[in-house]
Amino acid sequence: RPCLLPISMSVLSCSCARSTPRHLPFIIKRNHRRTSSTTTTMATTDMVASSTTAPRLFIRNQPVETETFDSIDPATGKAWIQVPACTKAMAEDAVSSAKDAQEAWAATPLLDRIAMLELAADRIEAIADKLADALVHDQGKPLQMAQGEIKFTSKGINRLSARTIPEETVESDFMIEKLQHRPLGVVCCIAPWNFPAIISALKWSRALFYGNTVIVKPSPETPVVDLMIAEALAGDGTWQPPSNNEKGSVFPSGVFTVLTAPDGGTDFNLGAFLSLHPSIRGVSFTGSTSTGKSILASSSTDVKRVTLEMGGNDAAIIRPDVDVKETAKQIFNESMVNTGQVCIAIKRVYCHESIYYDFVQALVEQAEEAASTVGSGFDEGVKYGPINNARQLERVKELIEDAVAQGATVVAGGGSPPGTTAGTDGFFFAPTILTGVHEGMRIVDEEQFGPVLPVMPYNTDEEAISRANHGEYGFGGGGGAKEMEA
């Protein structure tokens, strides 16, 4: 599982042409949670100024009026826009429309489905600047990174143009087996808040490619971009063929729906509703381990196909023959990209004891230089935005405090960057380097998902490998060396 961006996968189990086909055309990334939002029908008085129009909910390609909840700008800690809060009745209608549309969508020729997906990518490109601005407000990342995410979102959809759906025939002395890829039915795509545009799109575009209809549930921390995309794809509400469709709906009614709801504060839990619904036949989830376990358990009631990605704690091993300053720069960048909120970011470092103190000092220099580039994603020169939400900020602080209480030393960072107060001026936190840490501390054993890097010395390669493999997480890894033996 070595990738930043999700790769589509198809899984099929069948033994002959008449066997029951099953197919899973999607995978996942990660999601973490923000503080609970409160449902409201009134605009917040201290709303952050923005040129983005409040997004609407679309079901059956038609706008639906509903109550709203606040979306929080992590650079200010304040609401920046109102977001529609889906009700249970609306969610039921959306699932029903997806189920009704699925058979006809699956019967639509593949080239026609691809043409509609290409049109969807074109619609996204047409509003790319608006989507990037909304992404900065909603997620917090620097504008240039947000623009890149939107660019790769449309490119990721267009990559489907060259794909086919293969069929394989295997003959033996006893039988002829035919392997076919068939859609599951209605697929629920639950997206994360660290890369909300591209990860969501790579889920739903693959599901649609294979003939599934989709219900997309963005994280309540970053709901706006998916809602804006849904509105662009709904058009004027009347579906037309892609070859002559300038203003109409990209997909037929019920094929593609985005639903949003607050994470708490109401009696209706949208995620639980969708994962338990009998008409949902597949769930693609990226998020916390606890939520993933709940989805897996609930899916067993009707044997849904479920794909989960629930965390990582990637280690880097630094051997003694490296260029210390250059390697420290690379490791720092790989750890702190997107303010450390990346599934395969380096989250702990094992450095050979002979260069340990020099390497730590080089990391400290990187962190001190980076602290001056923390700020709002709209500000010039900013490389690191805020942590996405208040809950995650508190988790990062808690893990550092726990480590320090057990003897760790904060050698860089450890608090708000200069000129800011975390929680008052947004959810900012300076890039942080920790020493005096070891296995058994939460900062080493758990995934911090923030701008914190614990660094530990080791003596032998065997020790480093053993310690890097310590713990329950998998995912990726990295390191530095001039020469490696096979």
Side-chain angles (χ1 to χ4, degrees):
R1 298 156 64 190
C3 58
L4 170 63
L5 305 180
I7 302 170
S8 78
M9 299 175 65
S10 59
V11 178
L12 177 68
S13 175
C14 64
S15 58
C16 65
R18 288 181 171 270
S19 62
T20 302
R22 294 175 292 175
H23 167 243
L24 182 61
F26 44 75
I27 80 174
I28 33 282
K29 285 256 90 24
R30 135 167 17 274
N31 184 27
H32 295 260
R33 294 298 195 191
R34 174 182 302 182
T35 51
S36 298
S37 304
T38 303
T39 302
T40 176
T41 57
M42 300 177 62
T44 305
T45 55
D46 60 351
M47 189 80 69
V48 176
S50 169
S51 60
T52 303
T53 304
R56 296 181 292 174
L57 197 66
F58 282 77
I59 299 176
R60 301 178 188 269
N61 288 335
Q62 300 299 320
V64 177
E65 295 298 324
T66 183
E67 293 185 346
T68 60
F69 66 101
D70 291 341
S71 182
I72 306 299
D73 185 333
T76 65
K78 299 178 181 179
W80 76 279
I81 205 166
Q82 296 282 295
V83 180
C86 174
T87 66
K88 183 177 181 179
M90 293 172 185
E92 188 66 65
D93 185 38
V95 174
S96 177
S97 68
K99 183 179 180 181
D100 292 345
Q102 194 276 322
E103 186 174 348
W105 176 249
T108 301
L110 177 60
L111 290 179
D112 291 345
R113 297 203 299 267
I114 289 174
M116 285 180 255
L117 286 164
E118 290 173 340
L119 180 57
D122 290 344
R123 295 275 179 94
I124 290 171
E125 288 182 9
I127 59 170
D129 289 342
K130 293 180 179 179
L131 291 173
D133 285 353
L135 188 54
V136 175
H137 276 298
D138 233 15
Q139 202 281 331
K141 63 186 59 180
L143 179 59
Q144 185 176 6
M145 182 179 287
Q147 291 169 335
E149 180 173 344
I150 300 303
K151 177 181 178 180
F152 282 104
T153 296
S154 55
K155 280 191 172 184
I157 297 171
N158 278 326
R159 288 183 64 184
L160 291 168
S161 300
R163 288 197 179 186
T164 60
I165 301 179
E167 182 174 300
E168 181 181 357
T169 300
V170 180
E171 297 187 22
S172 69
D173 294 338
F174 305 100
M175 66 181 71
I176 298 176
E177 297 179 322
K178 184 173 290 186
L179 181 68
Q180 298 176 321
H181 297 265
R182 301 284 181 86
L184 286 173
V186 182
V187 169
C188 174
C189 302
I190 303 178
W193 54 248
N194 60 336
F195 290 93
I198 190 167
I199 292 174
S200 174
L202 292 183
K203 289 174 182 286
W204 59 255
S205 62
R206 273 61 183 166
L208 293 176
F209 174 87
Y210 285 104
N212 301 282
T213 53
V214 296
I215 304 291
V216 179
K217 181 195 173 296
S219 166
E221 318 302 346
T222 52
V224 176
V225 168
D226 270 333
L227 287 167
M228 292 173 66
I229 290 174
E231 184 160 355
L233 303 193
D236 64 12
T238 305
W239 181 79
Q240 300 173 15
S243 59
N244 186 32
N245 188 350
E246 294 184 2
K247 298 182 179 179
S249 302
V250 171
F251 301 114
S253 174
V255 170
F256 174 84
T257 306
V258 173
L259 300 179
T260 55
D263 186 18
T266 69
D267 295 332
F268 176 55
N269 186 313
L270 177 59
F273 173 85
L274 294 173
S275 62
L276 283 166
H277 200 290
S279 294
I280 301 287
R281 300 312 309 150
V283 178
S284 170
F285 170 78
T286 299
S288 68
T289 300
S290 59
T291 303
K293 288 179 177 179
S294 296
I295 290 174
L296 187 61
S298 62
S299 70
S300 65
T301 60
D302 57 356
V303 199
K304 285 182 175 60
R305 191 69 62 87
V306 178
T307 312
L308 307 170
E309 190 279 295
M310 301 179 292
N313 191 14
D314 297 13
I317 298 174
I318 310 302
R319 302 189 81 220
D321 59 350
V322 300
D323 181 317
V324 169
K325 287 189 177 293
E326 181 60 30
T327 304
K329 181 179 180 180
Q330 293 175 1
I331 292 297
F332 182 87
N333 290 338
E334 291 174 14
S335 172
M336 300 297 170
V337 64
N338 202 34
T339 316
Q341 300 165 125
V342 179
C343 55
I344 58 167
I346 297 299
K347 299 181 176 72
R348 52 198 168 109
V349 173
Y350 297 91
C351 179
H352 193 270
E353 60 187 16
S354 65
I355 60 168
Y356 177 75
Y357 292 104
D358 291 339
F359 191 80
V360 168
Q361 183 56 40
L363 286 175
V364 168
E365 292 171 3
Q366 291 291 322
E368 291 175 344
E369 180 181 344
S372 64
T373 64
V374 175
S376 167
F378 289 111
D379 291 346
E380 186 176 353
V382 165
K383 296 181 180 179
Y384 305 98
I387 292 174
N388 175 256
N389 58 79
R391 183 181 298 177
Q392 187 62 23
L393 173 63
E394 290 305 312
R395 171 173 170 77
V396 169
K397 291 164 63 177
E398 177 188 333
L399 290 174
I400 294 173
E401 291 167 0
D402 177 75
V404 170
Q406 298 183 63
T409 300
V410 177
V411 293
S416 304
T420 67
T421 302
T424 301
D425 302 313
F427 309 133
F428 295 105
F429 202 83
T432 298
I433 307 298
L434 294 178
T435 60
V437 294
H438 53 77
E439 291 79 6
M441 290 182 177
R442 293 178 60 201
I443 193 66
V444 175
D445 294 348
E446 299 180 15
E447 179 186 34
Q448 67 270 40
F449 214 63
V452 184
L453 186 62
V455 189
M456 295 160 281
Y458 75 89
N459 179 260
T460 66
D461 288 345
E462 292 76 14
E463 175 196 345
I465 292 170
S466 175
R467 293 172 67 187
N469 286 326
H470 168 81
E472 62 182 0
Y473 292 97
F475 221 160
K482 286 186 177 179
E483 297 183 5
M484 293 288 289
E485 295 180 4

